C-alpha cells in the first residue's frame, strides 16, 4: 500500500520547490501565498521534517526538500506527458454518429471538404438510426432526427424534414406520365407502412382507409428507399433536400409540388459541457456553414 501524502499538498510543494518562492508558486496554481504556505506546513507536519528554510523574505530548500523535489518534478513531468498523449490523440480524431440517411445522401459527399480544411484531424463516422448515448458510447458529436428538446445536450437545428412522393422518370412514363394524388393508392409504394404516406395523402385531400395502401417492399432508411425508387421499384416518400442532385440530373422526379412535414428536424447535438472543445467547435462551425450554403433554415 502506497503511503502518499495528500496530493494537493504535494502539487503545491513541487511548484514551490521549482520557484523557491511561495508567491510565484501561488500565481502558477491560482492560490494565495498564504494558502501555499499552509499546504507546505501541512506536508512538513505529515512527513515530520522541514522541507524549506525560511530566511527573511526567501525560502530555501533543505536537503530532504531538494531530494524530494528532484524526484517529484520528474514524476509530474511523466504524468503531464502521459495525459498530453491522451489529449493529443483525442484532439486528432472526431467521432461523429449520424443516421444512415443523412450520411449516405448528404454528409459523406461533403466530409472531404472538412478534411481538406482540417488535415490535422480525422473524422470517424458511425452510422446508426438509434439515438446516441453519449454517456455510454465513444462519440463526440451526433446528428439526429427528432423534435429536439433533449436534456443536457447542446442542440443546433440543421434543417426541417419535409417529404413528397418521388419516382424514376421511367416509372412515371410507364404509368401514364401524369398522376393525381389518388392514383398513388393503386401504385406500388416503397415502405408504405411509413406514417409519412398517410400524412401526405391526407394533406393532399385523399382519405386513406386502413389497408388502403398496396403492400410493397419495406426498407429501413430513406437512403435505401431513394435508390429503390431510382431503380424503378415504385414511388418513395423522400425529402427533396437529400435528393436535389438526383432530381437535377433526372434520376428522380417529383410527382407533385406539395410537400408535408411532421415537424421533425435534423439536429447537431453534443453534451453541453463539451460544446467548446476545439475539435467539436471546429466541426460545428463548418457543418452549420455548409448546411446554410445548401439550404437556409426554415
Amino acid at each position: 500500500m502506497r503511503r502518499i501524502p495528500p496530493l494537493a499538498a504535494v502539487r503545491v510543494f513541487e511548484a514551490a520547490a521549482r520557484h523557491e518562492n511561495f508567491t510565484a508558486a501561488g500565481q502558477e496554481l491560482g492560490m494565495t501565498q498564504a494558502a501555499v504556505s499552509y499546504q507546505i506546513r501541512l506536508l512538513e507536519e505529515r512527513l515530520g521534517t522541514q522541507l524549506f528554510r525560511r530566511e527573511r523574505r526567501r525560502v530555501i530548500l533543505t536537503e530532504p526538500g531538494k531530494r524530494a523535489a528532484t524526484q517529484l518534478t520528474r514524476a509530474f513531468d511523466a504524468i503531464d506527458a502521459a495525459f498530453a498523449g491522451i489529449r493529443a490523440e483525442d484532439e486528432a480524431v472526431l467521432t461523429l454518429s449520424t443516421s444512415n440517411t443523412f450520411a449516405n445522401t448528404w454528409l459523406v459527399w461533403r466530409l472531404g471538404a472538412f478534411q481538406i480544411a482540417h488535415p490535422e484531424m480525422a473524422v470517424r463516422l458511425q452510422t446508426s438510426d438509434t439515438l446516441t448515448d453519449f454517456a455510454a458510447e465513444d462519440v463526440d458529436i451526433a446528428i439526429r432526427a427528432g423534435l429536439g428538446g433533449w436534456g443536457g445536450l447542446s442542440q443546433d437545428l440543421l434543417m426541417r424534414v419535409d417529404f413528397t412522393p418521388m419516382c424514376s422518370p421511367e416509372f412515371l412514363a410507364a404509368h401514364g406520365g401524369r398522376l393525381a394524388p389518388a392514383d398513388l393508392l393503386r401504385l406500388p409504394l416503397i415502405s408504405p407502412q411509413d406514417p409519412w404516406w398517410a400524412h401526405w395523402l391526407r394533406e393532399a385531400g385523399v382519405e386513406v382507409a386502413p389497408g388502403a395502401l398496396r403492400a410493397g417492399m419495406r426498407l429501413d432508411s430513406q437512403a435505401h428507399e431513394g435508390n429503390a425508387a431510382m431503380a424503378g421499384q415504385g414511388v418513395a416518400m423522400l425529402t427533396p433536400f437529400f435528393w436535389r442532385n438526383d432530381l437535377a440530373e433526372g434520376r428522380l422526379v417529383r410527382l407533385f409540388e406539395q410537400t408535408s412535414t411532421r415537424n421533425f428536424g435534423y439536429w447537431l447535438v453534443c453534451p453541453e459541457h463539451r460544446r467548446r472543445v476545439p475539435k467539436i467547435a471546429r466541426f460545428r462551425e463548418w457543418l452549420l456553414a455548409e448546411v446554410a450554403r445548401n439550404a437556409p433554415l426554415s
Side-chain angles (χ1 to χ4, degrees):
M1 179 178 176
R2 292 186 176 93
R3 298 172 61 190
I4 300 174
L7 290 178
V10 172
R11 182 166 173 257
V12 170
F13 166 72
E14 191 277 332
R18 274 189 288 108
H19 293 288
E20 285 196 299
N21 185 295
F22 287 2
T23 300
Q27 290 171 346
E28 177 183 318
L29 300 174
M31 302 170 65
T32 64
Q33 185 272 344
V36 170
S37 181
Y38 176 74
Q39 290 292 331
I40 297 298
R41 186 168 68 253
L42 287 180
L43 188 58
E44 289 177 329
E45 291 173 356
R46 174 72 174 264
L47 296 172
T49 189
Q50 190 176 10
L51 299 171
F52 291 94
R53 293 199 313 275
R54 282 74 168 173
E55 295 186 358
R56 296 186 181 180
R57 296 177 181 272
R58 300 177 57 202
V59 291
I60 302 171
L61 282 165
T62 63
E63 285 303 315
K66 288 179 181 178
R67 291 196 300 271
T70 300
Q71 295 183 63
L72 283 173
T73 296
R74 291 198 198 104
F76 275 103
D77 286 344
I79 292 170
D80 182 62
F83 283 104
I86 293 172
R87 287 192 300 269
E89 180 181 348
D90 181 68
E91 187 60 23
V93 179
L94 177 82
T95 301
L96 165 67
S97 174
T98 187
S99 68
N100 287 295
T101 293
F102 196 89
N104 293 328
T105 61
W106 194 82
L107 183 60
V108 295
W109 299 88
R110 292 163 174 81
L111 268 182
F114 178 78
Q115 296 282 210
I116 290 171
H118 301 280
E120 77 288 353
M121 186 166 66
V123 177
R124 180 189 297 136
L125 182 63
Q126 298 178 359
T127 57
S128 173
D129 291 327
T130 60
L131 295 184
T132 300
D133 182 351
F134 287 99
E137 301 175 45
D138 184 20
V139 172
D140 295 304
I141 195 166
I143 298 165
R144 60 170 57 165
L147 298 174
W150 299 286
L153 297 182
S154 167
Q155 303 165 44
D156 292 290
L157 177 63
L158 299 176
M159 55 171 286
R160 294 290 182 188
V161 178
D162 58 7
F163 43 89
T164 193
M166 300 186 199
C167 65
S168 70
E170 295 78 13
F171 182 93
L172 179 60
H175 291 84
R178 180 183 292 274
L179 298 172
D183 294 330
L184 296 171
L185 298 178
R186 61 177 177 79
L187 293 177
L189 306 181
I190 297 169
S191 299
Q193 83 289 348
D194 192 318
W196 286 8
W197 275 109
H199 186 88
W200 187 93
L201 284 164
R202 279 194 296 270
E203 289 197 342
V206 179
E207 287 302 317
V208 185
L213 298 180
R214 288 182 53 178
M217 66 173 68
R218 297 190 174 200
L219 301 176
D220 62 1
S221 76
Q222 188 179 150
H224 296 150
E225 292 163 357
N227 283 313
M230 283 188 279
Q233 301 299 304
V235 183
M237 191 66 72
L238 302 176
T239 299
F241 177 82
F242 290 139
W243 303 96
R244 59 175 56 194
N245 290 338
D246 300 291
L247 289 165
E249 295 170 12
R251 290 184 290 272
L252 283 172
V253 292
R254 285 182 58 163
L255 297 179
F256 311 99
E257 285 299 313
Q258 174 196 321
T259 59
S260 296
T261 181
R262 300 183 73 204
N263 297 317
F264 278 64
Y266 275 95
W267 304 77
L268 183 67
V269 300
C270 70
E272 184 65 51
H273 69 278
R274 300 202 72 215
R275 186 171 183 265
R276 291 181 175 81
V277 170
K279 64 178 179 180
I280 292 175
R282 286 195 294 271
F283 184 80
R284 175 180 174 273
E285 180 182 4
W286 171 82
L287 184 61
L288 291 176
E290 193 68 19
V291 170
R293 275 195 294 272
N294 283 267
L297 296 178
S298 59

